Amino acid sequence: MISGGPKDGDSNRARKTSSRKLSNMEIVDHMVRTGPTLSFGPDDLKGLSDTTHNDALVIRALVANYDVARIFVDSGSSINVLFQETINQMDLGEYKVEPVVMSLFGFTGHAIRPTGLINLPLTLGKDRTSKTRIVSFIIVDAPSAYNAILGRPAMTIFMAVASALYQKLKFPVGNEIGEVQGDQKISRKCYVEEVRIEQKAVKVGHDDRPGPRGREQVNLLEENTPMTAEEECEEVLICPPTGSVRVARTIEASLKEKLINFLNENKDVFAWTKKRHFGPEKYAVIQGQVEELLKAGHIQEVYFPTWLSNVVLVPKSSGKWSMCVDFRDLNKACPKDCYPLPRIDQLVDSTSGNELLCFLDAY
């Protein structure tokens, strides 16, 4: 089961708003969709190599006109996933990748930060019973036996019903029914490969080899370790006045000492100032203006978190957004200018005797 991502908005506030709207919705009985009835029967079992199986439903479909195999149909996933390795084999230059803030969570609670979000045309079925819709895929850079995962959003868009028992995905196409047949052989291969990948990840996660800087890594989240409430934590200063972190009071003394030493040694890789979050619309505006500044050569990318400053979007009278940078912390650390601003009456008097006055815009 996969949860998280930009479902109902790419922020916790947007999700809460969506939840409140859903709880206040009224059921409208007279709004009945027309179309064929989707059902499964004995005829759908024909062609299966084993009718007593418990194989997952793995299909193939056209994604952006690419024939993509190993697509896992997962009704337990709140998002659709397209893995980075699959995208690397596709030429998707015309499609824009949007940023994603919210992390993804599996049933174990481990978080994965997505690479981005991309909207691609997905075609299910063949010939006259085929159906194409624009589907939002969350890009994940992680090893997987599958090329993509179709979750509940895709099932809703296609009004599809999946059956792992019958190894079919059915959806309405006008007054007819389109369907996609699963591949049991590929499904079983993917299962074996996925288990091997997960076993390898578990072994790597419990390895005590040196970290990227040749230092001892501290495994902060062992298996079955519950999250700690804030009131059960104590504040620990990290090389004052750098910042502070909260550590569980119940943690062992030896592990606590290793943890604090580890954070002190790596304090330069943390941004100790708070990052400001925006909604999807504002993130798109920020990304566009940053790309324009990079293209013009006005700014360049650096890795220097000491003076990491948030951007601020200010609404214009035209309804558009103007991007500014919050340099208040930087201004506080800069020496003050001891020369006061000139008096406006002196500026006016200084123009006396001149024929022209130039107001040059430094834009």
Side-chain angles (χ1 to χ4, degrees), residues 58-169:
V58 179
I59 64 173
R60 66 189 308 147
L62 287 178
V63 181
N65 292 326
Y66 283 89
D67 186 10
V68 180
R70 296 193 174 198
I71 300 178
F72 175 36
V73 179
D74 180 17
S75 59
S77 174
S78 65
I79 43 91
N80 309 306
V81 176
L82 193 61
F83 291 95
Q84 185 67 55
E85 186 176 351
T86 306
I87 289 186
N88 294 340
Q89 303 177 42
M90 305 166 69
D91 184 12
L92 302 176
E94 60 181 302
Y95 297 98
K96 183 179 179 181
V97 177
E98 302 175 2
V100 173
V101 176
M102 302 300 294
S103 299
L104 303 180
F105 300 90
F107 71 94
T108 59
H110 294 155
I112 295 180
R113 178 59 61 87
T115 304
L117 180 146
I118 189 170
N119 297 311
L120 299 175
L122 172 66
T123 301
L124 298 178
K126 294 182 179 179
D127 302 328
R128 68 176 188 178
T129 56
S130 64
K131 194 173 185 179
T132 302
R133 293 291 185 270
I134 300 297
V135 175
S136 297
F137 288 95
I138 301 298
I139 304 173
V140 175
D141 190 4
S144 175
Y146 305 103
N147 291 321
I149 297 177
L150 291 187
R152 296 193 299 270
M155 307 282 284
T156 302
I157 292 175
F158 281 89
M159 299 177 62
V161 177
S163 173
L165 171 63
Y166 293 99
Q167 285 290 292
K168 280 186 178 180
L169 178 69

Side-chain angles (χ1 to χ4, degrees), residues 62-307:
L62 287 178
V63 181
N65 292 326
Y66 283 89
D67 186 10
V68 180
R70 296 193 174 198
I71 300 178
F72 175 36
V73 179
D74 180 17
S75 59
S77 174
S78 65
I79 43 91
N80 309 306
V81 176
L82 193 61
F83 291 95
Q84 185 67 55
E85 186 176 351
T86 306
I87 289 186
N88 294 340
Q89 303 177 42
M90 305 166 69
D91 184 12
L92 302 176
E94 60 181 302
Y95 297 98
K96 183 179 179 181
V97 177
E98 302 175 2
V100 173
V101 176
M102 302 300 294
S103 299
L104 303 180
F105 300 90
F107 71 94
T108 59
H110 294 155
I112 295 180
R113 178 59 61 87
T115 304
L117 180 146
I118 189 170
N119 297 311
L120 299 175
L122 172 66
T123 301
L124 298 178
K126 294 182 179 179
D127 302 328
R128 68 176 188 178
T129 56
S130 64
K131 194 173 185 179
T132 302
R133 293 291 185 270
I134 300 297
V135 175
S136 297
F137 288 95
I138 301 298
I139 304 173
V140 175
D141 190 4
S144 175
Y146 305 103
N147 291 321
I149 297 177
L150 291 187
R152 296 193 299 270
M155 307 282 284
T156 302
I157 292 175
F158 281 89
M159 299 177 62
V161 177
S163 173
L165 171 63
Y166 293 99
Q167 285 290 292
K168 280 186 178 180
L169 178 69
K170 293 188 177 183
F171 49 92
V173 182
N175 293 323
E176 298 185 78
I177 297 177
E179 63 179 39
V180 180
Q181 182 72 47
D183 192 325
Q184 286 182 279
K185 187 176 180 180
I186 295 297
S187 177
R188 295 178 182 183
K189 285 184 178 180
C190 289
Y191 177 77
V192 174
E193 185 178 344
E194 189 70 19
V195 171
R196 188 184 299 115
I197 292 174
E198 294 297 333
Q199 288 177 340
K200 184 177 179 181
V202 170
K203 290 180 181 179
V204 173
H206 290 80
D207 199 350
D208 292 330
R209 293 174 296 178
R213 294 193 176 190
R215 302 167 180 159
E216 181 182 2
Q217 286 185 325
V218 181
N219 193 359
L220 303 181
L221 290 177
E222 296 287 352
E223 276 191 29
N224 302 323
T225 301
M227 299 300 290
T228 306
E230 185 175 354
E231 57 270 14
E232 299 176 2
C233 298
E234 62 176 318
E235 192 170 282
V236 177
L237 295 178
I238 302 299
C239 288
T242 299
S244 62
V245 295
R246 292 185 176 273
V247 180
R249 299 181 186 273
T250 56
I251 194 172
E252 295 181 4
S254 58
L255 180 58
K256 178 180 177 181
E257 183 180 358
K258 289 182 179 180
L259 171 62
I260 295 175
N261 291 337
F262 176 80
L263 293 174
N264 277 320
E265 292 175 0
N266 297 274
K267 65 180 183 297
D268 57 318
V269 303
F270 295 99
W272 294 97
T273 53
K274 186 178 179 180
K275 179 185 176 183
R276 184 177 290 117
H277 294 282
F278 301 93
E281 179 185 355
K282 292 185 178 180
Y283 267 114
V285 174
I286 294 172
Q287 184 68 24
Q289 296 197 25
V290 169
E291 289 178 356
E292 290 181 2
L293 293 173
L294 285 171
K295 187 177 180 180
H298 189 68
I299 61 173
Q300 64 179 5
E301 184 177 6
V302 295
Y303 298 92
F304 190 65
T306 303
W307 287 114

